[in-house]
Amino acid sequence: MEFFVERYKNREELTFECEVITPMFLSGADPNQVELRAASIKGALRFWWRAIVGQRYRNIEEMKEAEGKIFGSTNGKNQNASEVKIAVKKVSNFIANDYPMLPHRDRAIKKSISPTTKFEIEFEIAKEKKEDIKNLFILISLLCGFGKRQRRGFGSFNINKI
């Protein structure tokens, strides 16, 4: 087995300490199990990356290729491993409670991550991409959040420390 040291050169860690403000409706493969996953975070980063830098590219193929270089791709001959490694660390005060997804109706009640839950997100990224990822994550914390019903204010979180 070969070990490529080049892959780990010029990489830095970036850590965010966050706190949930509004109920976060997140889950993995089992929709009844509440879970904060790195895949959810990467999905939000990809979405906002496209929204912010999409106009820089002449066509969608160019944009997808650039996105694949940063976040990874499984697209045929252009397969790339992600330059951004994400890990959810230190979840504390974790409470999964039932909350109504529609505050004006009691029948749509789902499990969610409760407010005051604290979590730490750790990114391992190339030095030249660090500022971009930092700004994207801050943007997500300001504009939306994670999980279902985020356009209605759910899934919001605060960054306590970078």
Side-chain angles (χ1 to χ4, degrees):
M1 183 170 113
E2 296 179 38
F3 184 75
F4 298 100
V5 176
E6 286 296 313
R7 184 182 339 177
Y8 299 99
K9 281 187 178 178
N10 297 321
R11 297 190 61 82
E12 291 188 0
E13 285 185 0
L14 178 62
T15 304
F16 292 90
E17 291 178 13
C18 305
E19 183 175 357
V20 177
I21 298 172
T22 60
M24 223 179 245
F25 297 103
L26 283 169
S27 62
D30 180 4
N32 297 319
Q33 185 68 33
V34 178
E35 169 177 30
L36 178 61
R37 300 171 10 149
S40 302
I41 296 163
K42 187 181 274 190
L45 286 170
R46 286 182 97 120
F47 173 84
W48 284 103
W49 182 88
R50 286 184 213 124
I52 300 296
V53 302
Q55 82 283 356
R56 293 183 194 167
Y57 300 96
R58 288 179 284 173
N59 57 44
I60 194 133
E61 285 77 26
E62 271 186 28
M63 186 183 74
K64 282 183 177 180
E65 187 176 324
E67 178 187 353
K69 286 180 182 174
I70 298 169
F71 297 106
S73 170
T74 59
N75 184 17
K77 63 182 180 199
N78 296 328
Q79 290 186 5
N80 294 315
S82 177
E83 289 183 5
V84 180
K85 305 288 186 224
I86 303 171
V88 178
K89 306 270 184 171
K90 290 187 192 172
V91 178
S92 60
N93 296 352
F94 181 80
I95 302 169
N97 278 333
D98 290 332
Y99 282 95
M101 290 182 77
L102 301 168
H104 57 285
R105 292 192 179 143
D106 289 337
R107 66 175 181 233
I109 294 177
K110 298 274 187 201
K111 286 241 182 261
S112 71
I113 300 172
S114 295
T116 71
T117 299
K118 294 182 180 181
F119 61 95
E120 202 171 277
I121 304 293
E122 186 177 281
F123 294 93
E124 184 188 308
I125 44 181
K127 200 180 260 186
E128 63 272 6
K129 304 274 192 253
K130 182 178 181 179
E131 201 61 31
D132 292 341
I133 297 300
K134 177 182 174 185
N135 292 336
L136 272 175
F137 194 78
I138 291 169
L139 181 75
I140 290 167
S141 77
L142 295 173
L143 294 181
C144 57
F146 299 127
K148 297 175 189 163
R149 308 290 294 167
Q150 60 183 303
R151 286 176 275 170
R152 300 284 187 204
F154 290 102
S156 297
F157 65 96
N158 186 41
I159 298 173
N160 294 335
K161 186 178 173 186
I162 301 174

